[in-house]
Amino acid sequence: MNLVLLGAPGAGKGTQGALLAGRIGAHKLATGDLLREAVRAGSELGRRAKSYMDAGELVPDALILDLVRDTLAQGDSDPKAIFDGFPRTVPQAESLNAMLRELGTPLDGVVVIDVPEEKIVQRMSGRRTCSDCGRIYNLHTDPPAKRDVCDVCGGKLTQRMDDHEETVRHRLSVYREATEPLIAFYENSSIPVHRVDGDRSVEQVQSQILERLGR
Ligand code: AP5
């Protein structure tokens, strides 16, 4: 199944995407994770993307599309993916449709995770991510057993540069302006759009998604 996860920053796309990938046997393609990896590696892409990311702005479409094209090209012969954080603009969505058409594996659905903005600001202040395995925690709702240490691999937990309140509020306004219109874009296409209430527990959100997908 090829799926797009749509939702504001902090809506839970990464959390739900990781769970879903295991459940439906697809791999997760998260442009935010790929970009952060590029920044850590100090690659040309990382250097070009960093200032946009730190400021909570979108990285230019051309850079993102090259990144996704390269990642899909490196994949196996059955390129089923859960797209998390991509597409984020109408031109990205149009390019994704074209890329998947070329691969002969069209999009099966779009899942929109809805969460009120004030909840998001609160969630983001507590997010910590394992710098080794990428497991996502929340100090308020899903803390690690030992402070700053990943339960899964013992890696160090870190706070993202773009999770400070002012940047989160800016990312939310960028989402409203550039990414929210994608919901109408998909609703006006033949691709099924499934909306879920993301202001529930992680397990309840996952159940809603599986139910909407008929799993
Ligand atoms: P990216 O990494 O994609 O960030 P985002 O979309 O802003 O989303 P987040 O990763 O912040 O949140 P999420 O929805 O995955 O939530 P999570 O599961 O972590 O992008 C970062 C930057 O890269 C962008 O700003 C941009 O600069 C650039 N970029 C990336 N892709 C791009 C693209 N396509 N085009 C242009 N630029 C691009 O959950 C958040 C917190 O809430 C966690 O602590 C989690 O534990 C907790 N939580 C999750 N679910 C629940 C729940 N149900 N109840 C309570 N807490 C929960």
Side-chain angles (χ1 to χ4, degrees):
M1 216 180 208
N2 278 317
L3 276 184
V4 164
L5 295 183
L6 263 184
K13 303 179 297 297
T15 302
Q16 296 300 329
L19 291 172
L20 255 187
R23 290 253 166 86
I24 68 174
H27 63 274
K28 185 160 83 101
L29 194 161
T31 42
D33 291 347
L34 293 171
L35 289 168
R36 280 183 289 279
E37 236 172 79
V39 170
R40 268 196 300 275
S43 69
E44 172 63 18
L45 168 68
R47 276 194 294 276
R48 292 171 72 181
K50 188 175 185 314
S51 57
Y52 295 101
M53 296 171 75
D54 288 350
E57 296 289 346
L58 292 185
V59 174
D61 286 346
L63 290 182
I64 295 291
L65 290 170
D66 282 350
L67 173 69
V68 172
R69 224 175 266 118
D70 287 353
T71 308
L72 286 177
Q74 285 161 19
D76 51 33
S77 54
D78 184 17
K80 296 296 187 189
I82 296 170
F83 295 94
D84 159 11
F86 174 85
R88 251 177 158 98
T89 62
V90 170
Q92 288 185 17
E94 287 167 340
S95 299
L96 176 63
N97 283 346
M99 281 184 236
L100 292 179
R101 234 187 344 262
E102 251 173 57
L103 292 167
T105 166
L107 208 52
D108 297 295
V110 174
V111 173
V112 182
I113 306 176
D114 290 311
V115 180
E117 288 202 358
E118 279 317 309
K119 270 283 170 62
I120 282 178
V121 175
Q122 196 189 343
R123 272 188 192 181
M124 301 297 245
S125 69
R127 173 164 55 186
R128 297 293 181 275
T129 309
C130 175
S131 47
D132 290 341
C133 73
R135 160 76 156 92
I136 302 165
Y137 294 84
N138 194 285
L139 299 185
H140 313 304
T141 56
D142 178 25
K146 203 169 150 200
R147 196 187 155 95
D148 294 337
V149 178
C150 178
D151 294 347
V152 179
C153 72
K156 187 175 172 345
L157 303 188
T158 55
Q159 184 172 23
R160 273 171 45 175
M161 283 286 289
D162 56 353
D163 272 355
H164 298 287
E165 181 169 341
E166 204 179 311
T167 316
V168 169
R169 290 198 186 274
H170 182 62
R171 286 164 63 198
L172 286 168
S173 74
V174 170
Y175 171 77
R176 278 195 300 272
E177 200 175 307
T179 308
E180 214 168 38
L182 283 182
I183 300 173
F185 171 89
Y186 283 120
E187 280 173 343
N188 291 326
S189 76
S190 55
I191 299 163
V193 176
H194 311 281
R195 291 193 87 133
V196 299
D197 177 3
D199 191 12
R200 304 275 181 92
S201 72
V202 169
E203 295 72 26
Q204 286 169 334
V205 179
Q206 181 72 187
S207 301
Q208 288 178 68
I209 296 175
L210 291 170
E211 194 186 299
R212 301 283 198 285
L213 297 176
R215 300 274 173 152

